[in-house]
Every structure is written in structure tokens, then in C-alpha cells.
Amino acid sequence: LYAMIEYCNIISRMQNLQVIRLDFGRCPEFNNECSVALQNTLCSLKKLESLALSFSGCSKVIIQDGKMNANFPKTLKDLMLVVNETGITDEGIKEVCEHIAKLEVIQAVKLYFKKCEKLTENGVKSLEKIFKSNKSLQRFEVHTSVLCLSS
């Protein structure tokens, strides 16, 4: 956690960042606390428009009830979130999407939920309804082992 806090401190000093791509895939120590620290840092970046986060195989990023904390900068126009091979559930996906749906200027969203064993077709199908209500959204993709939605 200490290394992640230091990393977040470095990022927080880069207030002109518009694009960030971070891949924590298969990092055994990346957990919910690290995720919250990172989200708080990213939300402090007032010019951030494009964000790609990968937590593939980071089982500790998912909290006990199959959800993950999700808070994104309100300035985002483009978001890619990868949580392949985690224990995220249908409820967890719905919660992530509720946070994304609040992003007023979001134009493109790509979500990857491959090999998430607790995910069902019903959970994935419910995502489409959440995003269809967002007026600024131009591209929406969900990639799962269950099905693939694209509009």
C-alpha cells in the first residue's frame, strides 16, 4: 500500500494530465485500499479526459460482496475498465455502471469482464439499459465470456 500511495502522490502532482493508461494486472498486492487511493488521486485531476485501468487477475480489488469501489473523474470523455478474471458479480457491475452513468461528458466506454465466474447473462444485459440513458455516450462496449454487447 505504501508504494501505491507514493505512486498516487506522483500522479497527483501532474495536474495537466489528460490521458492515463494504468495496468495493474496480476498484481497480487493490489487491493481495494490501493484502488480507493488511486481513485481519489484520479478524481483530483481536473483535466483528465481519457482513462484506461486494468485490474485483470487482481482478485483483491473486489470487496467481499463481489463489488468494487468505483469513482471516476467527472471530466472523463473516454473510459476503459478491465476487471477480467476477478470475482465481480452482477451487482458489482451494476454499481460500477451507475458511477459511469453519472459522468455527464462521457462519450466512449469499454468494459472488460472476461472469465468472471460470478457474472451471469442477466447482469451483463442490464448494463445496456443504464448506458442508453446517457445523452453524451457515443460508443459503448462490454466484453465478457458470457456475451458481447456493442452499440
Side-chain angles (χ1 to χ4, degrees):
L1 182 60
Y2 176 76
M4 189 65 206
I5 291 171
E6 285 300 310
Y7 190 63
C8 288
N9 287 336
I10 292 167
I11 292 173
S12 68
R13 290 186 286 252
M14 297 185 225
Q15 287 296 308
N16 289 322
L17 283 176
Q18 293 179 349
V19 177
I20 296 180
R21 307 274 183 252
L22 300 171
D23 185 349
F24 297 101
R26 307 246 182 274
C27 180
E29 298 307 314
F30 195 92
N31 60 22
N32 186 53
E33 289 178 77
C34 295
S35 177
V36 170
L38 179 62
Q39 290 169 42
N40 290 339
T41 298
L42 295 173
C43 286
S44 75
L45 301 175
K46 303 302 180 207
K47 296 182 180 180
L48 190 61
E49 294 182 355
S50 181
L51 176 62
L53 292 173
S54 178
F55 302 114
S56 285
C58 295
S59 59
K60 293 180 183 176
V61 77
I62 304 300
I63 50 181
Q64 272 186 326
D65 56 0
K67 297 179 182 178
M68 72 178 285
N69 288 311
N71 193 14
F72 304 103
K74 302 218 179 294
T75 54
L76 282 186
K77 293 181 180 178
D78 181 35
L79 173 66
M80 182 176 78
L81 178 64
V82 182
V83 289
N84 296 332
E85 299 177 57
T86 63
I88 197 162
T89 62
D90 292 347
E91 285 301 313
I93 289 176
K94 288 177 188 176
E95 190 169 302
V96 167
C97 289
E98 286 171 8
H99 286 278
I100 296 170
K102 294 176 186 175
L103 301 175
E104 295 177 7
V105 295
I106 195 78
Q107 296 175 356
V109 176
K110 286 185 182 181
L111 303 173
Y112 292 82
F113 300 111
K114 293 186 177 184
K115 296 184 180 178
C116 294
E117 295 175 4
K118 296 180 181 179
L119 177 63
T120 71
E121 187 175 331
N122 289 335
V124 177
K125 283 183 176 180
S126 69
L127 302 180
E128 191 171 18
K129 293 176 186 174
I130 294 170
F131 286 106
K132 292 226 182 234
S133 65
N134 191 311
K135 303 291 184 220
S136 64
L137 193 64
Q138 298 171 11
R139 180 120 179 107
F140 168 53
E141 295 179 27
V142 175
H143 299 271
T144 78
S145 300
V146 179
L147 57 105
C148 182
L149 298 173
S150 184
S151 63

